[in-house]
Amino acid sequence: MALFDLPLDELREYRSASTEPEDFDAFWSKTLQEAREHDLDARFEPVDTGLTTVEVYDVTFAGFGGHPVKGWLTLPAGVTEPVPLVVEFVGYGGGRGLPHEHLLWASSGRAHFVMDTRGQGSAWGGGGGTADPVGGAPAYPGFMTRGIDAPENYYYRRVFTDAVRAVEAARSHPSADAARTVAVGGSQGGGITIAVGGLVPDLVAIAPDVPFLCDYPRAAVLTDRHPYREIGLFLKTHRGRTEDALRTLSYFDGVHFAARGSAPALFSAALEDQTCPPSTVFAAFNAWAHDDKQIEVYDFNDHEGGGPYQEAAKLDWLRSRL
């Protein structure tokens, strides 16, 4: 696929037309307050993986509604004092997978926590094990329109809340240096990372790659690739509900979380990305509030983005911040 979005010089100036709800901050303050009424109850169970360079813990903590959410905590073997913490969120349809799928960050001397995504973990990778016990109104198959009838019911309200609680759970382990916490993720994980960056005020950095869940008004009409296409297919059946759907989505738009970003950020975008079009990525990047920000651009890549090259860029970029 050749370039289909705005030219790069226009991308660097692009601003989203997404309208921020007046009660955006109040909505999220109340949501997180309600979640914290439940005991975090973070439990770390050692796992014998056969790996000798890392120690792995099977983690369970209370997310949205007190629901149990799973994760893996991986530490460098033999660590004797707190080390910097990298919290990672995974892409659409994936789950926490298996421990040996997550060795990069522990191999760099950091604690690494990867969160399972509720209701997902059945499309790729090693799978997941976290249910989503909350029902919802009629939705198009997938996750993008589950509970889209109202912000209080929307699926990503639960996921973003889980993500904030995941940071709190990971920080509670004695081997994690809570004061040196970074959030990372690609695609859906990148969108969750941006949300966490707007909701958790004391991160030292975030690094979202080709992030999803940004600039819904443009994404829904620019690309016909899933998952954004789920929104259009829902509205194709539920005629006349576009305004209401976009209102719900505005509470979960990475552009608005980015406006509250308080940590240095390294983004990445791919100019042939039809899944998360580059303009939607730049919409969040350009809105990111912290002055210390940069974006890696991959001219001829689709949604795979920078792949291992971006991993190397993150390792280098984070070296001075951890």
Side-chain angles (χ1 to χ4, degrees):
M1 176 66 183
L3 302 183
F4 70 100
D5 206 338
L6 301 173
L8 183 56
D9 59 344
E10 294 183 26
L11 289 172
R12 296 193 186 280
E13 302 297 327
Y14 172 72
R15 296 285 177 170
S16 172
S18 180
T19 301
E20 180 181 304
E22 292 183 359
D23 63 341
F24 183 90
D25 291 319
F27 174 85
W28 281 107
S29 177
K30 180 181 179 183
T31 295
L32 296 179
Q33 179 181 354
E34 290 174 354
R36 289 173 177 137
E37 290 174 358
H38 300 275
D39 188 349
L40 183 60
D41 193 25
R43 286 164 283 157
F44 301 86
E45 300 293 334
V47 179
D48 182 4
T49 61
L51 302 170
T52 59
T53 61
V54 296
E55 299 171 1
V56 179
Y57 296 85
D58 183 354
V59 185
T60 308
F61 66 94
F64 178 91
H67 305 151
V69 178
K70 300 295 290 183
W72 297 119
L73 176 68
T74 305
L75 303 172
V79 65
T80 58
E81 59 184 24
V83 293
L85 170 66
V86 177
V87 181
E88 183 173 7
F89 308 103
V90 299
Y92 196 79
R96 66 172 180 165
L98 301 174
H100 63 263
E101 297 181 84
H102 310 287
L103 298 179
L104 175 65
W105 294 108
S107 298
S108 71
R110 285 98 175 197
H112 176 241
F113 184 89
V114 59
M115 184 188 83
D116 213 21
T117 308
R118 62 168 60 217
Q120 298 190 30
S122 299
W124 56 269
T130 300
D132 182 12
V134 180
Y140 186 81
F143 302 94
M144 292 302 295
T145 65
R146 292 190 181 184
I148 202 169
D149 56 302
E152 294 77 12
N153 300 332
Y154 192 50
Y155 170 75
Y156 281 101
R157 181 182 182 224
R158 303 190 288 280
V159 172
F160 290 174
T161 302
D162 291 347
V164 172
R165 298 288 272 170
V167 173
E168 295 170 358
R171 283 175 157 178
S172 73
H173 193 277
S175 292
D177 184 349
R180 292 186 289 170
T181 303
V182 174
V184 303
S187 192
Q188 174 186 255
I192 298 171
T193 295
I194 293 170
V196 167
L199 293 171
V200 179
D202 58 349
L203 299 175
V204 298
I206 72 158
D209 293 325
V210 291
F212 182 43
L213 309 172
C214 298
D215 197 6
Y216 292 108
R218 181 169 176 81
V221 299
L222 180 60
T223 181
D224 58 4
R225 189 183 285 181
H226 284 60
Y228 280 124
R229 185 56 183 156
E230 294 176 21
I231 299 168
L233 292 173
F234 173 85
L235 294 171
K236 184 176 183 178
T237 298
H238 296 279
R239 299 163 177 84
R241 293 183 58 181
T242 300
E243 184 177 344
D244 290 340
L246 289 177
R247 177 183 177 276
T248 291
L249 293 170
S250 68
Y251 287 86
F252 308 92
D253 196 322
V255 171
H256 307 317
F257 291 109
R260 292 154 174 80
S262 57
L266 175 64
F267 282 65
S268 71
L271 297 188
E272 294 189 6
D273 189 347
Q274 295 182 72
T275 300
C276 296
S279 58
T280 67
V281 176
F282 271 90
F285 174 74
N286 291 336
W288 188 257
H290 198 282
D291 291 337
D292 182 0
K293 61 181 181 180
Q294 63 188 72
I295 185 166
E296 298 287 337
V297 176
Y298 296 92
D299 297 349
F300 291 96
N301 288 94
D302 198 333
H303 196 50
E304 75 281 359
Y309 290 84
Q310 185 61 18
E311 288 181 335
K314 286 185 290 189
L315 285 168
D316 183 63
W317 182 76
L318 284 173
R319 190 175 301 164
S320 63
R321 292 167 172 81
L322 292 178

